[in-house]
Amino acid sequence: MSLHEFVIPVHDLDAAGKQFRFPVPAAWIRASLSDSNGLDDKGRAIEAPTPTVENDGVLDVRASKSGNDVVVHGSLKAEFSIPCGRCLKPAHVVVNEPISLLMSPREAIRGSKSEKDDYEFSLEEADVTPLDGDTAVLDDVVRDELVLQIPMIPLCSEDCPGILPPATELTSKSGEKAVDPRLLPLLSLKTNIKE
Ligand SMILES: [Zn+2]
């Protein structure tokens, strides 16, 4: 895997926190959405859409230190298009989501899980993002957030009529002039067979 895109150096942080503003490059968004092909965390197949991304997004966060943990609050903004579920025209998706996470050193998460079995939920279930060494890497969080924003059935508009019947079916009774030129060879074949 290449270098991470959204990295916060932990040693620079204090309890008061620091503001970070990362551009989310269009190419990165495109790659993240395309890479979503595979299985989700419950083993269900995810089919990657073919995204069109024209603009960079922006990740705006404030990160602060709380003991060994890092608290991150902010927002993610991005836009992309994926094929409409009914007509395949571009369906616009606007992402404007709050980001809020608690990051703990990976060792601490593992330790608390094995030692405290009587806890009602583990840290992992409470949505703690692991912190590796001296850096807080937000790539996975941003990627997950983008993928989550893809609707089950993306629509170009609420009242999308879906794919209209091919032009030949609509016009065959009124004449052959309106036939899609690409279908003309087929039509002449049909006429020849009749004759
Ligand atoms: Zn549509």
Side-chain angles (χ1 to χ4, degrees):
M1 185 157 172
S2 59
L3 284 173
H4 297 302
E5 196 73 33
F6 316 109
V7 177
I8 294 173
V10 173
H11 63 85
D12 282 353
L13 301 176
D14 54 24
K18 268 191 169 181
Q19 198 72 31
F20 296 86
R21 189 181 175 89
F22 301 97
V24 186
W28 191 90
I29 298 174
R30 201 178 300 122
S32 295
L33 295 174
S34 306
D35 281 354
S36 69
N37 214 348
L39 299 178
D40 69 11
D41 54 2
K42 292 184 179 65
R44 294 170 302 202
I46 306 170
E47 199 177 309
T50 313
T52 309
V53 191
E54 278 161 11
N55 301 312
D56 291 355
V58 61
L59 174 67
D60 238 326
V61 291
R62 186 166 192 87
S64 56
K65 202 121 188 260
S66 170
N68 288 324
D69 298 339
V70 172
V71 181
V72 180
H73 285 297
S75 67
L76 171 67
K77 292 191 178 78
E79 305 177 35
F80 54 88
S81 296
I82 48 175
C84 170
R86 290 185 192 156
C87 73
L88 301 180
K89 274 191 259 173
H92 206 56
V93 178
V94 177
V95 178
N96 187 359
E97 286 298 303
I99 297 283
S100 188
L101 49 131
L102 174 64
M103 306 183 82
S104 286
R106 198 178 281 275
E107 316 81 70
I109 298 176
R110 217 179 274 134
S112 68
K113 268 187 86 178
S114 54
E115 287 163 20
K116 298 169 187 172
D117 285 341
D118 52 340
Y119 259 48
E120 280 184 20
F121 49 80
S122 69
L123 276 172
E124 206 166 88
E125 284 160 355
D127 249 354
V128 177
T129 309
L131 205 55
D132 285 307
D134 191 40
T135 50
V137 177
L138 303 182
D139 290 38
D140 287 348
V141 173
V142 175
R143 189 178 294 117
D144 288 353
E145 201 58 56
L146 288 173
V147 172
L148 272 176
Q149 298 309 311
I150 301 174
M152 288 291 281
I153 304 172
L155 293 178
C156 62
S157 69
E158 284 296 328
D159 50 0
C160 170
I163 295 173
L164 294 171
T168 43
E169 282 177 31
L170 285 178
T171 53
S172 57
K173 281 168 198 160
S174 53
E176 288 164 9
K177 281 173 191 163
V179 168
D180 186 324
R182 289 166 297 181
L183 294 175
L184 281 176
L186 273 180
L187 196 68
S188 65
L189 187 69
K190 190 179 161 194
T191 316
N192 287 343
I193 291 169
K194 271 185 188 166
E195 284 165 0

